Amino acid sequence: MRLLFLISALFHMTSAFTPLSSATDELQIRNKISLYAIALDTLNLTLLDEVFTSDVMINYQLPGGGVFYGLPAVKTFLVQSLTGFVTQHTLSTTLVEQTDQKGGVKSVAYLVANYIGQGNLTGSAAYIYGKYVDTWTKENDEWKIKARTLDGLPSGFTGNLAVLSAPNF
Ligand SMILES: *[C@@H]1O[C@H](CO)[C@@H](O)[C@H](O)[C@H]1NC(C)=O
Ligand SMILES: *[C@@H]1O[C@H](CO)[C@@H](O)[C@H](O)[C@H]1NC(C)=O
């Protein structure tokens, strides 16, 4: 019984939230999480060079997603999935934390990805809830994501799903 208590106390100690010691680092990381959303919604994927390492691994766990290795593969997938759509990737709750004493950093950011209906679908939208879970690394003094998982909620897309099959070319 006492042993069990000790083990559980240890678990709580090691799983405690540890903020970054540098506010500058944390701000850069938060900005880059936002830059990703702006890159997607403006379809300016050049901006992603500042967000991800060139060998990034991204696992989009949602309908139509997949696992992509390397930034070029990620960009190809994003161009295919976003061209012709008007989107807004809305980020909210964001937590940036240190994971070890060796500079390991992880972040979590909540997301609503909105697809906004155009033409005869004006007034409708389709959206999906999820969260980005990112592992960061510092490369030439710049923080970049080296691994990202987008966990979509099991509910999948909500709203008017016709918006998803009617791109505004
Ligand atoms: C995309 O972003 C880059 C970097 O900020 C900028 O130089 C470029 O002009 C942008 N391209 C477009 C089409 O807006
Ligand atoms: C809406 O517009 C699309 C593309 O212009 C067209 O293919 C479709 O038939 C229209 N749907 C309705 C219900 O008018």
Side-chain angles (χ1 to χ4, degrees):
M1 200 62 190
R2 183 170 293 170
L3 185 67
L4 207 64
F5 172 77
L6 270 173
I7 290 171
S8 103
L10 199 66
F11 175 76
H12 282 290
M13 247 168 62
T14 53
S15 66
F17 164 70
T18 311
L20 268 59
S21 52
S22 159
T24 309
D25 285 350
E26 183 174 328
L27 273 177
Q28 187 184 94
I29 285 169
R30 286 176 180 271
N31 248 352
K32 290 197 175 192
I33 291 171
S34 296
L35 190 58
Y36 171 85
I38 289 172
L40 265 55
D41 296 332
T42 61
L43 259 180
N44 186 349
L45 302 185
T46 309
L47 296 171
L48 298 183
D49 299 352
E50 295 173 50
V51 180
F52 298 114
T53 62
S54 57
D55 64 350
V56 66
M57 187 277 290
I58 304 192
N59 184 356
Y60 289 105
Q61 286 184 334
L62 77 184
V67 185
F68 301 89
Y69 297 93
L71 193 44
V74 169
K75 286 183 182 178
T76 302
F77 168 70
L78 288 173
V79 167
Q80 284 165 1
S81 7
L82 295 169
T83 301
F85 292 102
V86 174
T87 60
Q88 191 175 85
H89 289 74
T90 306
L91 303 165
S92 57
T93 307
T94 302
L95 192 69
V96 182
E97 61 182 319
Q98 194 177 307
T99 52
D100 57 39
Q101 296 307 311
K102 294 173 291 181
V105 170
K106 193 183 120 177
S107 65
V108 175
Y110 287 9
L111 162 79
V112 185
N114 301 282
Y115 288 73
I116 300 152
Q118 306 294 303
N120 57 16
L121 292 171
T122 297
S124 293
Y127 46 95
I128 190 165
Y129 298 97
K131 66 178 181 194
Y132 294 116
V133 180
D134 299 325
T135 307
W136 293 81
T137 187
K138 209 170 191 180
E139 207 176 61
N140 302 324
D141 232 33
E142 280 285 311
W143 283 100
K144 291 189 174 173
I145 297 169
K146 63 177 180 183
R148 156 167 282 190
T149 297
L150 169 54
D151 277 330
L153 286 193
S155 48
F157 281 97
T158 307
N160 186 348
L161 304 188
V163 171
L164 299 172
S165 52
N168 176 41
F169 284 110

